[in-house]
Amino acid sequence: MEIKVLKEVKDKSCEVLVINKFEGDKTSQELANTYAVEKDRFEGKFGQTYLLHTFGKIPADKILVVGLGKKEEFNADKMRLAVAKAVKKLQQIHAKNACFDFDVNCDYGKSAVIGALIADYAFDKYKTEKAPRVEEITFAKFSEEEVKEGIIFGRALEFARNLSNEPADFATPEKLAEIASNLEGVETKVYDKEAVERMGMGAYLAVGKGSAKPPKFIHMKYTGKNPKKKIAIIGKGICFDSGGLDIKPPSSMLTMRDDMSGAACVLGVMRALKELEPDMEVHGIIAACENMPSGTSYKPGDILRAQNGKTIEVDNTDAEGRLTLADALCYACELGVDEVIDIATLTGACVVALGTYAAGVMGNDEEMISRVIKTANESGEPAWELPMFEEYKTSLKSDIADMKNTGSRQGGASIAGVFLKEFVDKAKWVHIDIAGTAFLEKPQKEFIAGATGAGVRTLLNYIKNN
Ligand code: BES
Ligand code: MN
Ligand code: ZN
């Protein structure tokens, strides 16, 4: 979809003119007031839509009125959702272009554009019959800057969603490395298996042992003009999670190509930095591999040594994400960054706790945790803090190593959090568990089923504003 912005769209001819109505208010269009408001008593409750033909009375063929609900309750989130709703309606009537003329706060341009780009997304490259798409939208009133930023965010989201929707045989560790190496405005180093061995990343290496596809450790670096801060973002990059020898049942394995959604998020973010130009040094890190069962797999009872020297008894080969993140966290800390954020489809327990509506957030610094949660909530990606009580550590006790990789099922998201904490040194660190939010089994709000690009907006806003 192409997005444009104009001061005024009243005289522009287009297929559909999209306007808004707040509850109790009139619209900006006489025709809509006559038909929708007076004749049909269209109330304008949030999410309602009303379509009318103009029969040549104005330059647009049709008018779509979108209900925005109560004016005093309107906000950036509702802006995004309302535009998304309108775009879905445009797809339904096979409209190819539209002009949006919303009588709302001009600051909402970024949210509007993001809403349009989220809603216009389809993963149909493998389908013979393509989904109906809107080709062009022109927004009135919004500032060029807001719209430009919305487009950067929207494209990053689309990129991340595509990558996590792709089958595991497309989005392999090698493919992720290739994508990272081709990013503009970013320096990329890829470490192959031998290099990873030399770096002593025994936890990460073990996870990839059972796969025919070699692991790739990816380090991207973006340097802003006057970097005030050094930050690392780490994405869990399990290109397929079969569970390993502790193999998953079919229903749980079905969507495990999405287990690299953290990595897809980090790639989407790194790709956008050249255009966003934040004043920060950003390191994007992905320890990519596949978790597969075979004669060469790592086994329950194995003892692994992570890069920081700590030893881990493998209790369950399906708790692989934290093993790869352990070495990635060590690596990030060695870079001397001020802050580290890891983002991972880490635990089913987080899905049980929070469902698909919110990501779980933990960390070692309350102030940073609240900044990340605030940013997430303001980005349209709700997040909720989960506790990291010391007590959770007791269930990771091992008789033969420094710790086990899993403990009790109860409190599983927090237990994973306290495990990761063992691999962070002085840096401030936040862990975002997106197991519930990264991939939807059915449509939810502005998203169709499949990958959501979870974390892209949060991390981009965090990098821009901190
Ligand atoms: N990738 C999964 C977590 C997951 C579950 C992501 C559901 C998305 C949806 C992770 O590697 C995993 O298998 N976790 C186990 C940990 C357990 C063995 C301690 C889990 O959550 O069951
Ligand atoms: Mn697993
Ligand atoms: Zn996993």
Side-chain angles (χ1 to χ4, degrees), residues 236 238 241-243 246 248 252 255-256 258-259 291 315-322 344-351 405-409 412-413 415-416 433-439 441:
K236 173 173 170 182
I238 301 297
D241 182 10
S242 69
D246 289 314
K248 287 179 184 293
S252 307
T255 56
M256 280 301 138
D258 84 329
D259 215 19
N291 187 21
D315 184 63
N316 190 318
T317 63
D318 198 11
E320 83 298 336
R322 63 196 73 180
T345 46
L346 203 62
T347 65
C350 186
V351 193
N405 73 330
T406 56
S408 146
R409 278 167 57 85
I415 292 172
D433 194 330
I434 52 167
T437 55
F439 200 91
E441 280 176 22

Side-chain angles (χ1 to χ4, degrees), residues 232-300:
I233 52 175
I234 303 174
K236 173 173 170 182
I238 301 297
C239 293
F240 190 74
D241 182 10
S242 69
L245 290 175
D246 289 314
I247 198 159
K248 287 179 184 293
S251 62
S252 307
M253 204 192 295
L254 189 60
T255 56
M256 280 301 138
R257 68 177 190 280
D258 84 329
D259 215 19
M260 37 61 77
S261 295
C265 167
V266 166
L267 284 169
V269 167
M270 294 308 292
R271 185 174 174 273
L273 295 183
K274 180 179 175 262
E275 285 181 277
L276 198 67
E277 299 186 304
D279 301 327
M280 213 186 256
E281 183 175 308
V282 185
H283 296 266
I285 295 164
I286 299 166
C289 66
E290 264 190 347
N291 187 21
M292 298 295 278
S294 80
T296 57
S297 293
Y298 78 133
K299 307 170 188 74

